[in-house]
Amino acid sequence: NEMFGQLTSGLEAAWSKLKGEEALTKENIAEPMRDIRRALLEADVSLPVVRRFVQSVSDQAVGVGLIRGVRPDQQLVKIVYDELVKLMGGEVSDLVISKSGTTVILLAGLQGVGKTTVCAKLAFYLKKLGKSCMMIAADVYRPAAIDQLKILGDQVGVTVYTEGTEVKPSQIAINGIEEARKRKIDVAIVDTAGRLQLNKTMMDELKEVKQAVNPTEVLLVVDAMTGQEAAALVTTFSIEIGITGAILTKLDGDSRGGAALSIREVSGKPIKLVGRGERMEDLEPFYPDRMAGRILG
Ligand code: GDP
């Protein structure tokens, strides 16, 4: 997997400059810190995030005394690792699923980010956790999206509730959830319509659906390939709609990692799940520590 390849080698350049040093000093970390800064910017991490990150790492690096038996370069690696984990939210942020009744999850996102795929992947993921699911097709603008969801629903063995394209999305969502409650389904996932770009119609529609169904989770699906733009998008949706977290897709692509590293810090919202492929099983929780480990190679 090449996702963090460039970032990893950029950081390795930083460590290599500390070989043979006896301690971390203000002087000898200056150049490695420039390497770290450059590597993060090249990975498309948002500039304010890079600035804070580098500042925090520098402060700690000069602050710590030499730990016996640990080389200065390894010490810096450890500080960067801890900061990366912190940057990505520290802990895993689990989905909130009620113990009883039907939990409603609302999915939002721009067109093409992988939202329909995520909808089915999420249903499959929850099914494996022993939860019964129903998907509700509230994307009334693209009949193809409804067909796609039905095909994926068949594939993962999860019912898709649809009323075609003539009924209002908020009404479809309400009816679908009522049906799910009647059938004692654990989780109802509402798939909403995306647009190519942010626009008021989409936002208004999302607000209306959200108000109508009072979801436990409102998850924004974002494409990792869009880098720090993804973080900006999460912020906008967070302010406009009120989301509970993000799902980052296409982590298997050649994205440089900027989205994974920027979202939490920029938006204040956690990445809850990540998609790493087109198959239905390619969805997993977002583990900040594992991600940091992968970045450091
Ligand atoms: P939507 O318009 O947001 O509903 O997007 P779709 O779910 O239709 O996905 C758009 C394209 O991205 C499809 O070709 C998917 O197979 C692909 N896709 C979705 N998720 C992933 C992923 O995690 N990795 C890769 N490589 N492709 C994905």
Side-chain angles (χ1 to χ4, degrees):
N1 190 305
E2 288 304 297
M3 167 151 150
F4 290 117
Q6 210 186 342
L7 180 54
T8 305
S9 52
L11 292 173
E12 271 160 8
W15 326 137
S16 71
K17 291 188 179 134
L18 288 165
K19 289 274 156 64
E21 295 287 342
E22 308 230 309
L24 292 173
T25 66
K26 197 158 186 282
E27 289 69 37
N28 70 16
I29 66 158
E31 213 184 320
M33 289 317 300
R34 270 195 296 277
D35 290 336
I36 293 172
R37 179 187 158 89
R38 192 178 314 121
L40 290 170
L41 287 174
E42 277 170 6
D44 202 23
V45 178
S46 135
L47 181 60
V49 172
V50 174
R51 286 207 178 112
R52 275 197 295 274
F53 186 89
V54 168
Q55 188 62 50
S56 176
V57 170
S58 312
D59 290 349
Q60 292 175 63
V62 195
V64 293
L66 189 65
I67 302 165
R68 273 174 75 96
V70 182
R71 297 198 322 252
D73 57 329
Q74 291 169 337
Q75 224 168 296
L76 189 60
V77 171
K78 175 73 168 72
I79 295 169
V80 168
Y81 171 84
D82 289 343
E83 275 302 306
L84 284 173
V85 175
K86 219 160 78 185
L87 182 64
M88 290 185 279
E91 304 280 306
V92 175
S93 185
D94 287 322
L95 284 178
V96 178
I97 309 285
S98 314
K99 293 258 183 303
S100 62
T102 303
T103 297
V104 178
I105 299 179
L106 184 63
L107 292 182
L110 296 181
Q111 204 171 303
V113 297
K115 190 164 49 59
T116 309
T117 311
V118 157
C119 189
K121 278 178 175 176
L122 182 57
F124 187 53
Y125 173 85
L126 291 167
K127 201 178 151 184
K128 282 189 288 187
L129 292 178
K131 305 283 177 198
S132 56
C133 290
M134 185 189 263
M135 296 190 270
I136 300 170
D139 180 351
V140 298
Y141 300 98
R142 291 186 309 147
I146 300 178
D147 294 337
Q148 189 192 347
L149 201 58
K150 280 200 223 154
I151 292 167
L152 295 175
D154 281 342
Q155 223 172 299
V156 298
V158 172
T159 309
V160 176
Y161 181 91
T162 149
E163 292 187 36
T165 57
E166 299 301 315
V167 183
K168 254 174 45 165
S170 55
Q171 195 57 51
I172 297 176
I174 289 170
N175 298 344
I177 288 161
E178 194 180 300
E179 180 67 21
R181 293 210 163 104
K182 224 182 281 169
R183 296 200 206 172
K184 304 212 180 313
I185 299 282
D186 297 322
V187 186
I189 307 169
V190 183
D191 186 24
T192 60
R195 301 288 197 286
L196 286 173
Q197 284 168 334
L198 274 183
N199 68 37
K200 190 169 179 309
T201 327
M202 173 173 64
M203 288 302 199
D204 288 346
E205 185 182 292
L206 267 173
K207 281 180 203 167
E208 197 179 316
V209 175
K210 187 187 169 194
Q211 208 163 27
V213 303
N214 189 26
T216 300
E217 291 273 11
V218 183
L219 300 172
L220 182 69
V221 183
V222 288
D223 182 340
M225 312 283 272
T226 55
Q228 59 172 308
E229 270 306 307
L233 206 63
V234 176
T235 307
T236 304
F237 273 81
S238 188
I239 293 166
E240 293 264 325
I241 311 292
I243 58 170
T244 56
I247 299 180
L248 196 56
T249 61
K250 308 189 192 180
L251 270 170
D252 54 313
D254 60 359
S255 84
R256 291 167 291 162
L261 290 168
S262 309
I263 285 177
R264 180 60 185 254
E265 180 97 348
V266 168
S267 72
K269 297 294 170 189
I271 298 172
K272 294 212 166 189
L273 297 156
V274 294
R276 345 176 148 270
E278 298 184 76
R279 297 173 317 152
M280 287 298 107
E281 42 276 78
D282 296 329
L283 185 77
E284 55 191 65
F286 178 65
Y287 298 102
D289 53 348
R290 288 189 204 171
M291 198 62 93
R294 276 179 57 195
I295 291 169
L296 295 180

